[in-house]
Amino acid sequence: MKLSHLVFAVSALAAGATSYAQQAPKAEDQIRYRQSIMNVMGRQFGMLSAMAKGDAPYNKDAAVKAAALAETLSALPGPLFGPGLDKGAPTKAGTKIWSEPDKFKAALEKMQGEMKKLPAAAGDVATLKTAVGEIGKACKGCHDDYREKEFRN
Amino acid sequence: MKLSHLVFAVSALAAGATSYAQQAPKAEDQIRYRQSIMNVMGRQFGMLSAMAKGDAPYNKDAAVKAAALAETLSALPGPLFGPGLDKGAPTKAGTKIWSEPDKFKAALEKMQGEMKKLPAAAGDVATLKTAVGEIGKACKGCHDDYREKEFRN
């Protein structure tokens, strides 16, 4: 077992341990949690992207709040793509996530790295636009490689 | 139309406007966003509840982070229970939410008020325990009255 696999495995167990006490959570619940995190993060990004493109009026307070929430959520899904969470509920997560975990981890960390810059960038529409562009590339890159078009079981 | 209805309606439109630019989002997407928010908030609360009960080891850093995220998310769902969002995707949201919006709004605000105390309380296991107890009551009260046991369409 490679170190990255071990780290993922341990993190997955830890995520379980802290979510549902001693009893490991069901894969189905972990997959739904993963999807919920991605959905809420995506919605914050959607708001910020609309502001950055001028499709929605820029609102500094709303932008800063959405950016902080998106950045917080971006740190959570790693362990939820860990061993044993490739199936258990309908998912668009590509099986390549589990067949090339090191490459996936790098793509996830690229997104997380860009997200870390978002809260500071959100306070001004010009810096927000730059940050949204970089995050959008990281999202698309990972989705192109690791997200299926349709749900699979 | 009562003022609270109007406020809910306007907030729902605003939520739409800021999420997906000018085009109002589909009820299905808004319901899934609502469910995702409640899921992620519930998972943070689950971690904190396990720590408060001693079912999981208390970890101050993890507790403070989970508390901040739960409190942030608790502020979001109001407009997502607004007019037109009672159906459009499988949901456990009770129809009473839409037939008695003032009572539901009060129950939601009770939870939000308790959640506001959570971040400050999470830094110590004794104060966390008290806060988790009060939030748990607010969650249960609202779920007993306004959440169905099974999904409905």
Side-chain angles (χ1 to χ4, degrees):
Chain A
M1 186 183 240
K2 283 192 198 157
L3 179 60
S4 65
H5 292 57
L6 182 63
V7 169
F8 256 21
V10 171
S11 322
L13 289 169
T18 51
S19 330
Y20 283 135
Q22 305 320 333
Q23 159 199 40
K26 289 182 202 152
E28 178 180 3
D29 295 331
Q30 294 293 73
I31 291 168
R32 296 203 192 286
Y33 182 36
R34 179 173 81 201
Q35 291 167 336
S36 295
I37 290 165
M38 301 304 280
N39 184 357
V40 179
M41 181 167 61
R43 290 295 293 256
Q44 308 316 302
F45 185 72
M47 284 182 222
L48 293 166
S49 180
M51 288 187 203
K53 290 175 188 163
D55 293 335
Y58 175 71
N59 175 313
K60 183 175 178 172
D61 179 56
V64 168
K65 281 184 183 171
L69 178 52
E71 194 272 333
T72 297
L73 293 169
S74 72
L76 303 181
L80 299 167
F81 287 105
L85 301 179
D86 55 330
K87 58 176 89 72
T91 178
K92 287 182 181 176
T95 54
K96 276 173 67 184
I97 291 169
W98 288 270
S99 62
E100 45 186 55
D102 296 354
K103 280 188 185 172
F104 173 71
K105 193 164 179 290
L108 187 70
E109 287 171 354
K110 169 70 179 161
M111 178 277 286
Q112 291 168 326
E114 294 300 335
M115 277 285 191
K116 282 198 169 61
K117 305 173 191 168
L118 186 59
D124 172 84
V125 72
T127 51
L128 173 64
K129 196 165 182 168
T130 308
V132 160
E134 290 307 313
I135 293 166
K137 278 185 233 163
C139 294
K140 187 181 183 307
C142 203
H143 288 170
D144 287 350
D145 293 343
Y146 296 107
R147 187 173 68 170
E148 306 291 340
K149 298 260 176 296
E150 303 298 333
F151 281 99
R152 62 176 182 83
N153 273 296
Chain B
M1 187 184 239
K2 284 191 199 158
L3 179 59
S4 65
H5 292 57
L6 183 62
V7 169
F8 256 21
V10 171
S11 321
L13 289 170
T18 51
S19 325
Y20 282 135
Q22 304 324 333
Q23 155 199 45
K26 289 183 203 152
E28 178 180 1
D29 295 331
Q30 293 294 70
I31 291 168
R32 296 203 192 286
Y33 182 35
R34 178 174 81 202
Q35 292 166 337
S36 295
I37 291 165
M38 300 304 279
N39 184 359
V40 179
M41 181 168 63
R43 291 295 293 257
Q44 308 315 304
F45 185 72
M47 284 182 219
L48 293 165
S49 180
M51 289 187 201
K53 290 175 187 162
D55 294 335
Y58 175 72
N59 176 313
K60 183 174 176 171
D61 179 56
V64 168
K65 281 184 183 169
L69 178 52
E71 194 272 332
T72 297
L73 292 169
S74 72
L76 303 181
L80 299 167
F81 288 105
L85 301 178
D86 55 330
K87 58 175 90 72
T91 178
K92 288 183 180 176
T95 54
K96 275 173 67 184
I97 291 169
W98 289 270
S99 62
E100 47 186 54
D102 296 353
K103 281 187 184 172
F104 173 72
K105 194 163 179 287
L108 186 71
E109 287 172 353
K110 168 70 179 161
M111 177 277 284
Q112 291 168 325
E114 295 301 336
M115 277 285 190
K116 283 199 169 61
K117 305 173 191 169
L118 187 59
D124 172 84
V125 71
T127 49
L128 173 63
K129 197 165 181 168
T130 307
V132 160
E134 291 306 312
I135 293 165
K137 278 185 233 163
C139 296
K140 188 182 183 305
C142 203
H143 288 170
D144 288 349
D145 293 343
Y146 297 107
R147 187 174 66 171
E148 306 291 339
K149 297 258 176 298
E150 305 297 333
F151 281 98
R152 62 176 182 82
N153 273 296

